[in-house]
Amino acid sequence: MSMTWKLLANLPWKYWGPVIKARSRSGGTRAFRKRNVGKSSYVDPSVQIFGWEHVTVGENASLSEGSWLNASARDGGYDRIVIGDFCHVGRRNYFSTGGLIHIKEFGLTGVDCHFLGCGHNIDSPMVPYAASGLTAGAAIEIGVNCWLTTSVTVLEGVHIGCGSVIGARSVVADCVPPFSVAIGNPCCVVKRFDFRSNRWIPAQQFTDEIAAFMPEEAEYLAQLRRNWESLRPALHASSSRFGWLR
């Protein structure tokens, strides 16, 4: 550590914090926004990304204040975190991926949601877990137009079907079928959407006959695009820098 940094380290954060921030504004940030972020999307300046070359954000999407995207596996030219068109990622969301985390189009996540696609090795307690390396993990996929409300945690290997809603503080350890409402720790499905009667019904009343009326995800997405092509990022929800609303 140079003498300059030794001196800075002994000063309060209000003095040396801005220096750190200034030094961190590298060409990588500009390159990410230019190459990997779609048209009309907003990425808050406070968002931190590890492995930005492996992160893609679609059009008309928003990444909110205080979020951290960690593309833990950075080998090859593969995307590891993909945020689709018209998605809103809430404040202080956390992504950690060994494989792929994909939030498909029109995804909505509330504050403090976590996507845990991999973890630290725990093979031996004689190795500090901070130095034990990462597991291979498994992919996480969030279907089209899913809403993860507040403080939802999604574990590796989970697929949440399109049109689903996950209740606050849920821990999603197993896959969720399309057009479901699921809550709890561990998360379980409590409602399914009945396209015949156009309403949510208790999960135990859902049958294969009702399932036959569900649209395929591609059809569902096409309809959303037709009807909501003018949707734009929710900037006030994304960052305090946009101030208050009356």
Side-chain angles (χ1 to χ4, degrees), residues 8 17 38 42 44 55 82 99-100 108 111 139-140 143 147 152 160 165 179 192 208 210 212 218 220:
L8 285 170
Y42 173 75
D44 192 78
V55 176
V82 177
L100 171 69
L108 170 63
V111 298
I140 292 173
W147 176 27
V152 173
I160 298 176
V165 179
F179 306 106
R192 302 291 304 275
D208 290 341
I210 296 173
Y220 180 53

Side-chain angles (χ1 to χ4, degrees), residues 175-195:
C175 296
V176 175
F179 306 106
S180 297
V181 174
I183 60 173
N185 179 10
C187 193
C188 61
V189 176
V190 294
K191 292 182 180 181
R192 302 291 304 275
F193 194 79
D194 181 351
F195 279 88

Side-chain angles (χ1 to χ4, degrees), residues 65-140:
E65 192 173 84
S67 292
W68 177 18
L69 286 68
N70 183 9
S72 304
R74 300 172 202 145
D75 53 319
Y78 306 106
D79 287 335
R80 299 297 184 180
I81 300 174
V82 177
I83 310 297
D85 297 344
F86 302 103
C87 283
H88 173 78
V89 174
R91 301 188 193 195
R92 301 185 304 278
N93 277 209
Y94 172 61
F95 295 72
S96 179
T97 176
L100 171 69
I101 297 176
H102 187 186
I103 300 183
K104 293 186 176 181
E105 292 87 347
F106 294 96
L108 170 63
T109 72
V111 298
D112 297 318
C113 289
H114 304 115
F115 302 86
L116 308 182
C118 68
H120 286 255
N121 285 313
I122 58 170
D123 294 337
S124 172
M126 301 309 294
V127 177
Y129 298 125
S132 64
L134 299 175
T135 62
I140 292 173

Side-chain angles (χ1 to χ4, degrees), residues 5-25:
W5 286 104
K6 286 181 179 178
L7 291 172
L8 285 170
N10 289 321
L11 292 174
W13 168 256
K14 67 179 180 179
Y15 295 114
W16 66 272
V19 177
I20 294 287
K21 291 180 179 179
R23 287 174 65 93
S24 68
R25 290 179 185 143

Side-chain angles (χ1 to χ4, degrees), residues 136-219:
I140 292 173
E141 183 178 285
I142 312 300
V144 170
N145 194 36
C146 286
W147 176 27
L148 280 60
T149 55
T150 301
S151 300
V152 173
T153 298
V154 183
L155 303 184
E156 63 182 63
V158 164
H159 171 252
I160 298 176
C162 61
S164 292
V165 179
I166 309 299
R169 299 191 179 278
S170 294
V171 176
V172 191
D174 295 310
C175 296
V176 175
F179 306 106
S180 297
V181 174
I183 60 173
N185 179 10
C187 193
C188 61
V189 176
V190 294
K191 292 182 180 181
R192 302 291 304 275
F193 194 79
D194 181 351
F195 279 88
R196 298 180 310 172
S197 60
N198 204 35
R199 64 186 179 90
W200 294 99
I201 62 173
Q204 61 269 28
Q205 295 179 12
F206 195 79
T207 65
D208 290 341
E209 181 183 354
I210 296 173
F213 289 86
M214 290 193 307
E216 295 293 332
E217 186 173 45
E219 177 188 352

